[in-house]
């Protein structure tokens, strides 16, 4: 059995402070730009509640399934879905088919970008002061252990 790590969101603990977005953009860009962070916070009901949305690191990942260049694959250690920028052709298919719209396009590189869990130590989780984001995992069968289809 393998562990697939992902970031669990607890919207009831989110204050909408955006520290997670600042930490993400700092790691990604080396500067603070929450608009380019790889997670989103949606503010609802006159800022009464806030919904953080982060890549779910899906087991059946549409972003990886539709990529014609096979540029999205699992990191062998964290099992996070990562984009190989050398393979990415910038077609945006991954962005189009992500059901929660968590794959973006780097405006400078014209390549896909998505949360890679910061190599297993997500900056957004470390920056969250309330526990609205937490690193979690689900246990999945190893690829060799999976039953063949049919």
């Amino acid at each position: 059995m393998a562990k697939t790590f992902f970031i669990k969101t607890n919207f009831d603990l989110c204050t909408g402070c955006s520290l997670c977005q600042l930490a993400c953009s700092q790691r990604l860009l080396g500067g603070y730009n929450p608009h380019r962070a790889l997670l989103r916070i949606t503010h609802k009901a006159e800022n009464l509640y806030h919904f953080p949305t982060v890549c779910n690191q899906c087991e059946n990942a549409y972003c990886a399934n539709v990529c014609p260049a096979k540029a999205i694959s699992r990191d062998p250690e964290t099992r996070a879905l990562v984009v190989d920028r050398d393979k990415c052709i910038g077609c945006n298919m991954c962005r189009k088919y992500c059901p929660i719209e968590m794959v973006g396009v780097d405006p400078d590189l014209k390549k896909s970008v998505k949360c890679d869990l910061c190599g297993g130590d997500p900056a957004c989780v470390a920056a969250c002061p309330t526990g609205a984001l937490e690193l979690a995992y689900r246990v999945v069968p190893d690829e060799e252990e999976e039953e063949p289809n049919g």
Side-chain angles (χ1 to χ4, degrees):
M1 301 297 246
K3 291 181 180 176
T4 297
F5 289 90
F6 67 100
I7 298 171
K8 179 181 175 188
T9 62
N10 302 299
F11 81 90
D12 55 324
L13 299 177
C14 183
T15 63
C17 69
S18 299
L19 289 174
C20 54
Q21 291 177 309
L22 294 174
C24 179
S25 66
Q26 170 64 31
R27 181 194 174 263
L28 185 67
L29 307 167
Y32 298 113
N33 185 345
H35 297 289
R36 293 195 44 197
L38 301 178
L39 69 155
R40 178 180 61 240
I41 300 174
T42 304
H43 308 282
K44 295 283 188 174
E46 299 175 8
N47 285 328
L48 180 60
Y49 25 79
H50 315 280
F51 290 92
T53 305
V54 185
C55 174
N56 194 40
Q57 307 297 337
C58 303
E59 285 306 313
N60 183 23
Y62 294 102
C63 61
N65 293 341
V66 300
C67 179
K70 305 293 182 209
I72 300 176
S73 62
R74 294 239 179 242
D75 177 276
E77 191 167 315
T78 64
R79 293 190 42 84
L81 292 159
V82 296
V83 177
D84 183 334
R85 288 186 180 165
D86 292 333
K87 288 184 178 178
C88 180
I89 58 174
C91 68
N92 294 324
M93 292 291 284
C94 53
R95 180 180 181 187
K96 181 178 178 182
Y97 286 97
C98 175
I100 58 172
E101 301 175 350
M102 282 291 97
V103 182
V105 175
D106 184 301
D108 300 323
L109 300 174
K110 309 294 186 219
K111 304 277 186 168
S112 294
V113 290
K114 64 170 290 312
C115 174
D116 63 358
L117 298 176
C118 300
D121 187 19
C124 60
V125 172
C128 180
T130 64
L133 302 175
E134 62 181 290
L135 187 62
Y137 67 86
R138 58 183 161 261
V139 177
V140 296
D142 289 328
E143 290 183 19
E144 301 84 43
E145 295 177 9
E146 292 181 10
E147 294 290 323
N149 291 334

